[in-house]
C-alpha cells in the first residue's frame, strides 16, 4: 500500500487541560491499520520555539507548560519502515491560568469590606483580569471584574451583620478561568 502524506491522524481530542499540562489523543488513520507507525507531536507558543516528541501510542501528555498560555499542537503520522511523515493535524489549546492565592478579608465594616490576595504564580507576560464573586444567604451572587495590576478590591453595598462568601479567580481574555480561592466573613 502506498502511503499518502494526506493520511493524517484523525480527530485530535483534548482529554484534559491543567495549568502546566495537556493530555491529548487522536485516532489512527483507518487506511494504515496494521502498518507499523509512530506519531510525532510538536508544540509551542505562537512566537516561541517548538518542542517535539515521538510516541508509539495514540495519546500523550505534554508537561512543563506555562499557565494561561495558548499552545499550537501538531500531530504527524510517521511510517516506521520509511520514516515518511504525513501532513500534520493542528489544534490550539490554552492552559488554565494560575489562581490568585491567600484571599484575605480586611477592613470589615457594616456595609463594606476590603479583599486582598497574592498575585498568581508564573503568569508573567500573560494578560488577565480577576473575577470576584460575593454572596450571602438570600441574595443572588454579585460579580466584579478587576485589573491584573491590582491585588485589593473594596466591596460596598453589603448588608450589616451578615455572613458573606467571597471567591476570586483569574480570567483570561478568552474567558478561560482558574480555580477559585475563597474566604468568608461577617459584616459588622
Amino acid at each position: 500500500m502506498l502511503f499518502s502524506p494526506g493520511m493524517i491522524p484523525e480527530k485530535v481530542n483534548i482529554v484534559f487541560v491543567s495549568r502546566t499540562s495537556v493530555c491529548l489523543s487522536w485516532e489512527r488513520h483507518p487506511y494504515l491499520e496494521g502498518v507499523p507507525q509512530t506519531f510525532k507531536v510538536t508544540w509551542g507558543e505562537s512566537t516561541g520555539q517548538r518542542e517535539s516528541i515521538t510516541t508509539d501510542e495514540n495519546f500523550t501528555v505534554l508537561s512543563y507548560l506555562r499557565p494561561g498560555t495558548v499552545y499550537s499542537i501538531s500531530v504527524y503520522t510517521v511510517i516506521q519502515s520509511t520514516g515518511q511523515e504525513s501532513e500534520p493535524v493542528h489544534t490550539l489549546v490554552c492552559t488554565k491560568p494560575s489562581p490568585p492565592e491567600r484571599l484575605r478579608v480586611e477592613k470589615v465594616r457594616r456595609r463594606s469590606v476590603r479583599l486582598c490576595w497574592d498575585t498568581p504564580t508564573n503568569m508573567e507576560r500573560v494578560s488577565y483580569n480577576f473575577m470576584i464573586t460575593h454572596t450571602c444567604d438570600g441574595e443572588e451572587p454579585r460579580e466584579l471584574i478587576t485589573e491584573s495590576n491590582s491585588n485589593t478590591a473594596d466591596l460596598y453595598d453589603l448588608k450589616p451583620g451578615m455572613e458573606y462568601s467571597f471567591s476570586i479567580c483569574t480570567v483570561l481574555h478568552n474567558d478561560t478561568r482558574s480555580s477559585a480561592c475563597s474566604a468568608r466573613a461577617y459584616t459588622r
Side-chain angles (χ1 to χ4, degrees), residues 2-50:
L2 290 175
F3 173 63
S4 162
M7 291 183 178
I8 64 176
E10 297 190 333
K11 295 182 185 175
V12 173
N13 301 305
I14 303 301
V15 179
F16 75 81
V17 179
S18 73
R19 288 185 289 166
T20 59
S21 65
V22 172
C23 177
L24 62 149
S25 67
W26 54 89
E27 294 183 17
R28 299 171 190 266
H29 197 287
Y31 290 121
L32 296 176
E33 189 68 40
V35 176
Q37 60 195 277
T38 59
F39 300 96
K40 182 171 91 170
V41 181
T42 66
W43 69 97
E45 298 175 45
S46 58
T47 58
Q49 196 171 357
R50 292 187 73 77

Side-chain angles (χ1 to χ4, degrees), residues 115-168:
L115 299 180
C116 303
W117 59 89
D118 293 349
T119 304
T121 57
N122 299 320
M123 293 283 290
E124 302 79 12
R125 300 184 304 147
V126 177
S127 180
Y128 60 89
N129 292 319
F130 296 116
M131 176 177 285
I132 298 169
T133 304
H134 63 95
T135 188
C136 72
D137 283 344
E139 281 191 2
E140 288 291 314
R142 289 195 280 173
E143 295 180 342
L144 169 72
I145 301 288
T146 76
E147 298 298 318
S148 61
N149 59 1
S150 171
N151 65 346
T152 64
D154 292 308
L155 304 181
Y156 299 100
D157 297 325
L158 305 180
K159 293 179 180 176
M162 298 292 289
E163 184 183 28
Y164 277 85
S165 175
F166 305 97
S167 68
I168 184 170

Side-chain angles (χ1 to χ4, degrees), residues 77-137:
T77 300
V78 182
I79 299 301
Q80 285 182 318
S81 60
T82 64
Q84 187 177 7
E85 292 182 359
S86 71
E87 295 294 323
V89 60
H90 303 287
T91 190
L92 291 174
V93 66
C94 184
T95 52
K96 291 192 179 286
S98 297
E101 297 177 355
R102 290 189 343 109
L103 179 63
R104 297 161 322 268
V105 183
E106 300 180 352
K107 293 192 178 179
V108 178
R109 297 196 168 97
R110 293 183 72 243
R111 302 185 64 84
S112 68
V113 298
R114 172 168 287 173
L115 299 180
C116 303
W117 59 89
D118 293 349
T119 304
T121 57
N122 299 320
M123 293 283 290
E124 302 79 12
R125 300 184 304 147
V126 177
S127 180
Y128 60 89
N129 292 319
F130 296 116
M131 176 177 285
I132 298 169
T133 304
H134 63 95
T135 188
C136 72
D137 283 344

